[in-house]
Amino acid sequence: MFKVAVIGASGLLGRAVVRELAAETPWQVVPTAFRHGGPQQAVLDVRDAQAVNAFVEREAPDAIVLAAAERRPDVCEHDPAAARALNVDAVRRVAAAARQRGAWVLSISTDYVFDGTQPPYRIGDTPNPLNAYGHSKLEGERALLETSDKALVLRLPLLYGPIVGWHESAVTGLVPAIIASGEPGAQAAPMDAWATRYPTFTPDVAFVIRELLLRCADGEPVCGVAQWSGDEPMTKYDIAQRIAQALGVEARLLAQPSPTDATPRPRDCHLDSSRLETLGMGRRTPFDAAIRAVLDAFMRDGTQRSV
Ligand SMILES: NC(=O)c1ccc[n+]([C@@H]2O[C@H](COP(=O)([O-])OP(=O)(O)OC[C@H]3O[C@@H](n4cnc5c(N)ncnc54)[C@H](OP(=O)(O)O)[C@@H]3O)[C@@H](O)[C@H]2O)c1
């Protein structure tokens, strides 16, 4: 039976991928976690070469989805060496182990490989990252494609989806400030109205990844670089307004017309998704419906981790 290893299955995206594969395929799925694993997940530190090789040898997967990374730009900016260890060196290591085994590897990258000055970005456009996170992810892309020709980089923009804590996603991370701003006598919450984002729902990405895995299972793996993005442009101010509406909160939000983050971020990295669209792949759940589902589930289930 076709076997898929999902490395980083305890994270925001990895959980959605495991859920999609478990619900929609008969395949054998081997999820791994590092610090937040459940009983059904193997513990794997991707910085440990021996452990990575032993895992791939033992499990012998046909495909590997690599969703483990350091994805927080501020953390990468403060410790670029630690970011490289995960976002570059570990990618090369997993790709080498996969090549030995003949497995296809899908590794997740980001719209932050671009500088955000000339959207939309096609897959062949020249990257020019503005921060340490973007640099490390771009190097990780190159490490993957240099190491194996049976590999795909999938670039994604800002993600949101089922969470185990508000701050797991930069979208739901706005919720505490939105709610607090609606309290009597509270100050308005400042929200970035400068950068345009394309929030993308993790179950939709998981759907795309399943379609890509199907191609691999059929012996026609998609390789090189692909991109997938939601198609609703929004600033964080717009996102906050729509979340406030979904929550029924009379939020007081203050639009910030210029960037306020210490870590430089691109203004608009809209990713062109036409390679996958041409292959007939993709699904886009409307933001308002998706965010309502995420908020409702989190309010109902609290911090239960369901992987
Ligand atoms: N989130 C976004 O908005 C966004 C946007 C664009 C692209 N991406 C990319 O999408 C991918 C998934 O991101 P995400 O948001 O799902 O990240 P996340 O929620 O932070 O999850 C990161 C995953 O990496 C695992 N991990 C961390 N250190 C590890 C180590 N040393 N060895 C093995 N696993 C380790 C974590 O495991 P434990 O928690 O068990 O330690 C977790 O499963 C990343 O490549 C990211 O760069 C994310």
PDB file of all heavy atoms in Angstrom, residues 158-187:
ATOM      1  N   LEU A 158       0.265  33.194   3.908  1.00  0.00           N
ATOM      2  CA  LEU A 158      -0.265  33.177   5.284  1.00  0.00           C
ATOM      3  C   LEU A 158      -1.330  32.081   5.455  1.00  0.00           C
ATOM      4  O   LEU A 158      -2.311  32.043   4.722  1.00  0.00           O
ATOM      5  CB  LEU A 158      -0.885  34.546   5.565  1.00  0.00           C
ATOM      6  CG  LEU A 158      -1.639  34.723   6.879  1.00  0.00           C
ATOM      7  CD1 LEU A 158      -0.700  34.574   8.065  1.00  0.00           C
ATOM      8  CD2 LEU A 158      -2.293  36.115   6.903  1.00  0.00           C
ATOM      9  N   LEU A 159      -1.108  31.205   6.448  1.00  0.00           N
ATOM     10  CA  LEU A 159      -2.022  30.080   6.658  1.00  0.00           C
ATOM     11  C   LEU A 159      -2.904  30.288   7.885  1.00  0.00           C
ATOM     12  O   LEU A 159      -2.488  30.900   8.863  1.00  0.00           O
ATOM     13  CB  LEU A 159      -1.216  28.795   6.863  1.00  0.00           C
ATOM     14  CG  LEU A 159      -0.313  28.354   5.714  1.00  0.00           C
ATOM     15  CD1 LEU A 159       0.459  27.087   6.106  1.00  0.00           C
ATOM     16  CD2 LEU A 159      -1.122  28.102   4.441  1.00  0.00           C
ATOM     17  N   TYR A 160      -4.104  29.731   7.829  1.00  0.00           N
ATOM     18  CA  TYR A 160      -4.954  29.630   9.011  1.00  0.00           C
ATOM     19  C   TYR A 160      -5.775  28.356   8.852  1.00  0.00           C
ATOM     20  O   TYR A 160      -5.934  27.844   7.731  1.00  0.00           O
ATOM     21  CB  TYR A 160      -5.862  30.865   9.170  1.00  0.00           C
ATOM     22  CG  TYR A 160      -6.960  30.935   8.133  1.00  0.00           C
ATOM     23  CD1 TYR A 160      -8.272  30.587   8.452  1.00  0.00           C
ATOM     24  CD2 TYR A 160      -6.678  31.279   6.818  1.00  0.00           C
ATOM     25  CE1 TYR A 160      -9.277  30.607   7.491  1.00  0.00           C
ATOM     26  CE2 TYR A 160      -7.674  31.301   5.850  1.00  0.00           C
ATOM     27  CZ  TYR A 160      -8.966  30.963   6.191  1.00  0.00           C
ATOM     28  OH  TYR A 160      -9.944  30.968   5.238  1.00  0.00           O
ATOM     29  N   GLY A 161      -6.271  27.851   9.979  1.00  0.00           N
ATOM     30  CA  GLY A 161      -7.046  26.612   9.919  1.00  0.00           C
ATOM     31  C   GLY A 161      -7.304  26.181  11.351  1.00  0.00           C
ATOM     32  O   GLY A 161      -7.059  26.947  12.292  1.00  0.00           O
ATOM     33  N   PRO A 162      -7.786  24.946  11.542  1.00  0.00           N
ATOM     34  CA  PRO A 162      -8.040  24.464  12.902  1.00  0.00           C
ATOM     35  C   PRO A 162      -6.793  24.628  13.782  1.00  0.00           C
ATOM     36  O   PRO A 162      -5.696  24.244  13.378  1.00  0.00           O
ATOM     37  CB  PRO A 162      -8.397  22.991  12.687  1.00  0.00           C
ATOM     38  CG  PRO A 162      -8.970  22.964  11.299  1.00  0.00           C
ATOM     39  CD  PRO A 162      -8.193  23.979  10.520  1.00  0.00           C
ATOM     40  N   ILE A 163      -6.995  25.210  14.964  1.00  0.00           N
ATOM     41  CA  ILE A 163      -5.871  25.570  15.830  1.00  0.00           C
ATOM     42  C   ILE A 163      -5.980  24.878  17.186  1.00  0.00           C
ATOM     43  O   ILE A 163      -7.059  24.439  17.585  1.00  0.00           O
ATOM     44  CB  ILE A 163      -5.840  27.107  16.087  1.00  0.00           C
ATOM     45  CG1 ILE A 163      -7.253  27.630  16.387  1.00  0.00           C
ATOM     46  CG2 ILE A 163      -5.173  27.845  14.947  1.00  0.00           C
ATOM     47  CD1 ILE A 163      -7.294  29.019  16.949  1.00  0.00           C
ATOM     48  N   VAL A 164      -4.853  24.863  17.887  1.00  0.00           N
ATOM     49  CA  VAL A 164      -4.853  24.410  19.284  1.00  0.00           C
ATOM     50  C   VAL A 164      -4.529  25.576  20.217  1.00  0.00           C
ATOM     51  O   VAL A 164      -4.442  25.403  21.422  1.00  0.00           O
ATOM     52  CB  VAL A 164      -3.870  23.241  19.498  1.00  0.00           C
ATOM     53  CG1 VAL A 164      -4.331  22.014  18.747  1.00  0.00           C
ATOM     54  CG2 VAL A 164      -2.462  23.622  19.088  1.00  0.00           C
ATOM     55  N   GLY A 165      -4.332  26.752  19.671  1.00  0.00           N
ATOM     56  CA  GLY A 165      -4.067  27.967  20.449  1.00  0.00           C
ATOM     57  C   GLY A 165      -4.167  29.147  19.495  1.00  0.00           C
ATOM     58  O   GLY A 165      -3.827  29.003  18.315  1.00  0.00           O
ATOM     59  N   TRP A 166      -4.640  30.322  19.972  1.00  0.00           N
ATOM     60  CA  TRP A 166      -4.845  31.454  19.068  1.00  0.00           C
ATOM     61  C   TRP A 166      -3.589  31.791  18.269  1.00  0.00           C
ATOM     62  O   TRP A 166      -3.652  32.143  17.099  1.00  0.00           O
ATOM     63  CB  TRP A 166      -5.256  32.697  19.849  1.00  0.00           C
ATOM     64  CG  TRP A 166      -6.614  32.663  20.486  1.00  0.00           C
ATOM     65  CD1 TRP A 166      -6.900  32.906  21.797  1.00  0.00           C
ATOM     66  CD2 TRP A 166      -7.880  32.406  19.846  1.00  0.00           C
ATOM     67  NE1 TRP A 166      -8.246  32.805  22.017  1.00  0.00           N
ATOM     68  CE2 TRP A 166      -8.877  32.501  20.843  1.00  0.00           C
ATOM     69  CE3 TRP A 166      -8.267  32.090  18.542  1.00  0.00           C
ATOM     70  CZ2 TRP A 166     -10.228  32.300  20.568  1.00  0.00           C
ATOM     71  CZ3 TRP A 166      -9.615  31.894  18.260  1.00  0.00           C
ATOM     72  CH2 TRP A 166     -10.572  31.999  19.266  1.00  0.00           C
ATOM     73  N   HIS A 167      -2.404  31.687  18.917  1.00  0.00           N
ATOM     74  CA  HIS A 167      -1.199  32.203  18.275  1.00  0.00           C
ATOM     75  C   HIS A 167      -0.535  31.215  17.321  1.00  0.00           C
ATOM     76  O   HIS A 167       0.526  31.495  16.790  1.00  0.00           O
ATOM     77  CB  HIS A 167      -0.216  32.710  19.340  1.00  0.00           C
ATOM     78  CG  HIS A 167      -0.763  33.935  20.000  1.00  0.00           C
ATOM     79  ND1 HIS A 167      -0.769  35.166  19.374  1.00  0.00           N
ATOM     80  CD2 HIS A 167      -1.383  34.114  21.180  1.00  0.00           C
ATOM     81  CE1 HIS A 167      -1.353  36.053  20.163  1.00  0.00           C
ATOM     82  NE2 HIS A 167      -1.738  35.442  21.261  1.00  0.00           N
ATOM     83  N   GLU A 168      -1.199  30.092  17.068  1.00  0.00           N
ATOM     84  CA  GLU A 168      -0.638  29.158  16.094  1.00  0.00           C
ATOM     85  C   GLU A 168      -0.626  29.729  14.692  1.00  0.00           C
ATOM     86  O   GLU A 168       0.140  29.283  13.844  1.00  0.00           O
ATOM     87  CB  GLU A 168      -1.492  27.887  16.080  1.00  0.00           C
ATOM     88  CG  GLU A 168      -0.837  26.715  16.731  1.00  0.00           C
ATOM     89  CD  GLU A 168      -1.406  25.441  16.189  1.00  0.00           C
ATOM     90  OE1 GLU A 168      -2.639  25.342  16.092  1.00  0.00           O
ATOM     91  OE2 GLU A 168      -0.633  24.544  15.869  1.00  0.00           O
ATOM     92  N   SER A 169      -1.521  30.676  14.429  1.00  0.00           N
ATOM     93  CA  SER A 169      -1.581  31.298  13.100  1.00  0.00           C
ATOM     94  C   SER A 169      -1.620  32.804  13.290  1.00  0.00           C
ATOM     95  O   SER A 169      -2.216  33.299  14.258  1.00  0.00           O
ATOM     96  CB  SER A 169      -2.846  30.832  12.367  1.00  0.00           C
ATOM     97  OG  SER A 169      -3.288  31.826  11.466  1.00  0.00           O
ATOM     98  N   ALA A 170      -1.003  33.530  12.350  1.00  0.00           N
ATOM     99  CA  ALA A 170      -1.011  34.996  12.455  1.00  0.00           C
ATOM    100  C   ALA A 170      -2.420  35.557  12.206  1.00  0.00           C
ATOM    101  O   ALA A 170      -2.682  36.720  12.505  1.00  0.00           O
ATOM    102  CB  ALA A 170      -0.021  35.594  11.468  1.00  0.00           C
ATOM    103  N   VAL A 171      -3.325  34.736  11.661  1.00  0.00           N
ATOM    104  CA  VAL A 171      -4.717  35.166  11.471  1.00  0.00           C
ATOM    105  C   VAL A 171      -5.457  35.103  12.806  1.00  0.00           C
ATOM    106  O   VAL A 171      -5.968  36.106  13.305  1.00  0.00           O
ATOM    107  CB  VAL A 171      -5.413  34.300  10.395  1.00  0.00           C
ATOM    108  CG1 VAL A 171      -6.903  34.564  10.352  1.00  0.00           C
ATOM    109  CG2 VAL A 171      -4.782  34.558   9.028  1.00  0.00           C
ATOM    110  N   THR A 172      -5.481  33.919  13.408  1.00  0.00           N
ATOM    111  CA  THR A 172      -6.202  33.776  14.687  1.00  0.00           C
ATOM    112  C   THR A 172      -5.452  34.462  15.825  1.00  0.00           C
ATOM    113  O   THR A 172      -6.055  34.776  16.857  1.00  0.00           O
ATOM    114  CB  THR A 172      -6.431  32.290  15.022  1.00  0.00           C
ATOM    115  OG1 THR A 172      -5.176  31.606  14.926  1.00  0.00           O
ATOM    116  CG2 THR A 172      -7.431  31.660  14.079  1.00  0.00           C
ATOM    117  N   GLY A 173      -4.163  34.725  15.632  1.00  0.00           N
ATOM    118  CA  GLY A 173      -3.386  35.463  16.633  1.00  0.00           C
ATOM    119  C   GLY A 173      -3.933  36.870  16.879  1.00  0.00           C
ATOM    120  O   GLY A 173      -3.618  37.495  17.893  1.00  0.00           O
ATOM    121  N   LEU A 174      -4.777  37.354  15.961  1.00  0.00           N
ATOM    122  CA  LEU A 174      -5.377  38.689  16.128  1.00  0.00           C
ATOM    123  C   LEU A 174      -6.559  38.657  17.099  1.00  0.00           C
ATOM    124  O   LEU A 174      -6.972  39.712  17.608  1.00  0.00           O
ATOM    125  CB  LEU A 174      -5.881  39.220  14.771  1.00  0.00           C
ATOM    126  CG  LEU A 174      -4.833  39.318  13.643  1.00  0.00           C
ATOM    127  CD1 LEU A 174      -5.512  39.756  12.338  1.00  0.00           C
ATOM    128  CD2 LEU A 174      -3.729  40.301  14.020  1.00  0.00           C
ATOM    129  N   VAL A 175      -7.102  37.463  17.361  1.00  0.00           N
ATOM    130  CA  VAL A 175      -8.366  37.370  18.111  1.00  0.00           C
ATOM    131  C   VAL A 175      -8.298  37.991  19.510  1.00  0.00           C
ATOM    132  O   VAL A 175      -9.180  38.782  19.866  1.00  0.00           O
ATOM    133  CB  VAL A 175      -8.867  35.897  18.170  1.00  0.00           C
ATOM    134  CG1 VAL A 175     -10.018  35.746  19.148  1.00  0.00           C
ATOM    135  CG2 VAL A 175      -9.267  35.422  16.780  1.00  0.00           C
ATOM    136  N   PRO A 176      -7.269  37.682  20.338  1.00  0.00           N
ATOM    137  CA  PRO A 176      -7.278  38.265  21.690  1.00  0.00           C
ATOM    138  C   PRO A 176      -7.352  39.797  21.665  1.00  0.00           C
ATOM    139  O   PRO A 176      -8.109  40.397  22.454  1.00  0.00           O
ATOM    140  CB  PRO A 176      -5.958  37.765  22.300  1.00  0.00           C
ATOM    141  CG  PRO A 176      -5.690  36.474  21.576  1.00  0.00           C
ATOM    142  CD  PRO A 176      -6.171  36.709  20.168  1.00  0.00           C
ATOM    143  N   ALA A 177      -6.609  40.456  20.771  1.00  0.00           N
ATOM    144  CA  ALA A 177      -6.636  41.931  20.705  1.00  0.00           C
ATOM    145  C   ALA A 177      -7.988  42.428  20.195  1.00  0.00           C
ATOM    146  O   ALA A 177      -8.496  43.471  20.654  1.00  0.00           O
ATOM    147  CB  ALA A 177      -5.516  42.437  19.798  1.00  0.00           C
ATOM    148  N   ILE A 178      -8.602  41.682  19.282  1.00  0.00           N
ATOM    149  CA  ILE A 178      -9.920  42.082  18.751  1.00  0.00           C
ATOM    150  C   ILE A 178     -10.947  42.038  19.883  1.00  0.00           C
ATOM    151  O   ILE A 178     -11.714  42.993  20.078  1.00  0.00           O
ATOM    152  CB  ILE A 178     -10.347  41.121  17.605  1.00  0.00           C
ATOM    153  CG1 ILE A 178      -9.419  41.287  16.404  1.00  0.00           C
ATOM    154  CG2 ILE A 178     -11.807  41.350  17.216  1.00  0.00           C
ATOM    155  CD1 ILE A 178      -9.558  40.183  15.353  1.00  0.00           C
ATOM    156  N   ILE A 179     -10.932  40.944  20.642  1.00  0.00           N
ATOM    157  CA  ILE A 179     -11.895  40.799  21.737  1.00  0.00           C
ATOM    158  C   ILE A 179     -11.650  41.874  22.797  1.00  0.00           C
ATOM    159  O   ILE A 179     -12.587  42.545  23.252  1.00  0.00           O
ATOM    160  CB  ILE A 179     -11.823  39.378  22.351  1.00  0.00           C
ATOM    161  CG1 ILE A 179     -12.332  38.353  21.327  1.00  0.00           C
ATOM    162  CG2 ILE A 179     -12.642  39.293  23.640  1.00  0.00           C
ATOM    163  CD1 ILE A 179     -12.210  36.897  21.750  1.00  0.00           C
ATOM    164  N   ALA A 180     -10.364  42.088  23.158  1.00  0.00           N
ATOM    165  CA  ALA A 180     -10.035  43.071  24.203  1.00  0.00           C
ATOM    166  C   ALA A 180     -10.478  44.475  23.782  1.00  0.00           C
ATOM    167  O   ALA A 180     -10.951  45.267  24.615  1.00  0.00           O
ATOM    168  CB  ALA A 180      -8.534  43.047  24.486  1.00  0.00           C
ATOM    169  N   SER A 181     -10.380  44.784  22.492  1.00  0.00           N
ATOM    170  CA  SER A 181     -10.733  46.139  22.025  1.00  0.00           C
ATOM    171  C   SER A 181     -12.230  46.408  22.141  1.00  0.00           C
ATOM    172  O   SER A 181     -12.664  47.558  22.096  1.00  0.00           O
ATOM    173  CB  SER A 181     -10.283  46.338  20.577  1.00  0.00           C
ATOM    174  OG  SER A 181     -11.188  45.720  19.685  1.00  0.00           O
ATOM    175  N   GLY A 182     -13.011  45.334  22.262  1.00  0.00           N
ATOM    176  CA  GLY A 182     -14.464  45.494  22.388  1.00  0.00           C
ATOM    177  C   GLY A 182     -14.943  45.648  23.825  1.00  0.00           C
ATOM    178  O   GLY A 182     -16.127  45.881  24.073  1.00  0.00           O
ATOM    179  N   GLU A 183     -14.011  45.525  24.780  1.00  0.00           N
ATOM    180  CA  GLU A 183     -14.396  45.688  26.202  1.00  0.00           C
ATOM    181  C   GLU A 183     -14.702  47.156  26.482  1.00  0.00           C
ATOM    182  O   GLU A 183     -14.089  48.038  25.873  1.00  0.00           O
ATOM    183  CB  GLU A 183     -13.230  45.245  27.112  1.00  0.00           C
ATOM    184  CG  GLU A 183     -12.742  43.818  26.901  1.00  0.00           C
ATOM    185  CD  GLU A 183     -13.663  42.782  27.495  1.00  0.00           C
ATOM    186  OE1 GLU A 183     -14.340  43.106  28.484  1.00  0.00           O
ATOM    187  OE2 GLU A 183     -13.713  41.665  26.945  1.00  0.00           O
ATOM    188  N   PRO A 184     -15.605  47.446  27.443  1.00  0.00           N
ATOM    189  CA  PRO A 184     -15.921  48.841  27.745  1.00  0.00           C
ATOM    190  C   PRO A 184     -14.656  49.604  28.161  1.00  0.00           C
ATOM    191  O   PRO A 184     -13.867  49.115  28.960  1.00  0.00           O
ATOM    192  CB  PRO A 184     -16.898  48.735  28.933  1.00  0.00           C
ATOM    193  CG  PRO A 184     -17.381  47.329  28.935  1.00  0.00           C
ATOM    194  CD  PRO A 184     -16.366  46.487  28.251  1.00  0.00           C
ATOM    195  N   GLY A 185     -14.467  50.773  27.571  1.00  0.00           N
ATOM    196  CA  GLY A 185     -13.339  51.646  27.934  1.00  0.00           C
ATOM    197  C   GLY A 185     -12.000  51.222  27.358  1.00  0.00           C
ATOM    198  O   GLY A 185     -10.974  51.851  27.642  1.00  0.00           O
ATOM    199  N   ALA A 186     -11.988  50.135  26.524  1.00  0.00           N
ATOM    200  CA  ALA A 186     -10.702  49.649  26.000  1.00  0.00           C
ATOM    201  C   ALA A 186     -10.176  50.584  24.908  1.00  0.00           C
ATOM    202  O   ALA A 186     -10.947  51.275  24.236  1.00  0.00           O
ATOM    203  CB  ALA A 186     -10.891  48.246  25.429  1.00  0.00           C
ATOM    204  N   GLN A 187      -8.853  50.554  24.747  1.00  0.00           N
ATOM    205  CA  GLN A 187      -8.205  51.308  23.665  1.00  0.00           C
ATOM    206  C   GLN A 187      -8.427  50.574  22.340  1.00  0.00           C
ATOM    207  O   GLN A 187      -8.587  49.343  22.331  1.00  0.00           O
ATOM    208  CB  GLN A 187      -6.719  51.344  23.920  1.00  0.00           C
ATOM    209  CG  GLN A 187      -6.346  52.024  25.212  1.00  0.00           C
ATOM    210  CD  GLN A 187      -5.275  53.064  24.983  1.00  0.00           C
ATOM    211  OE1 GLN A 187      -4.321  52.791  24.278  1.00  0.00           O
ATOM    212  NE2 GLN A 187      -5.457  54.241  25.548  1.00  0.00           N
TER     213      GLN A 187
END
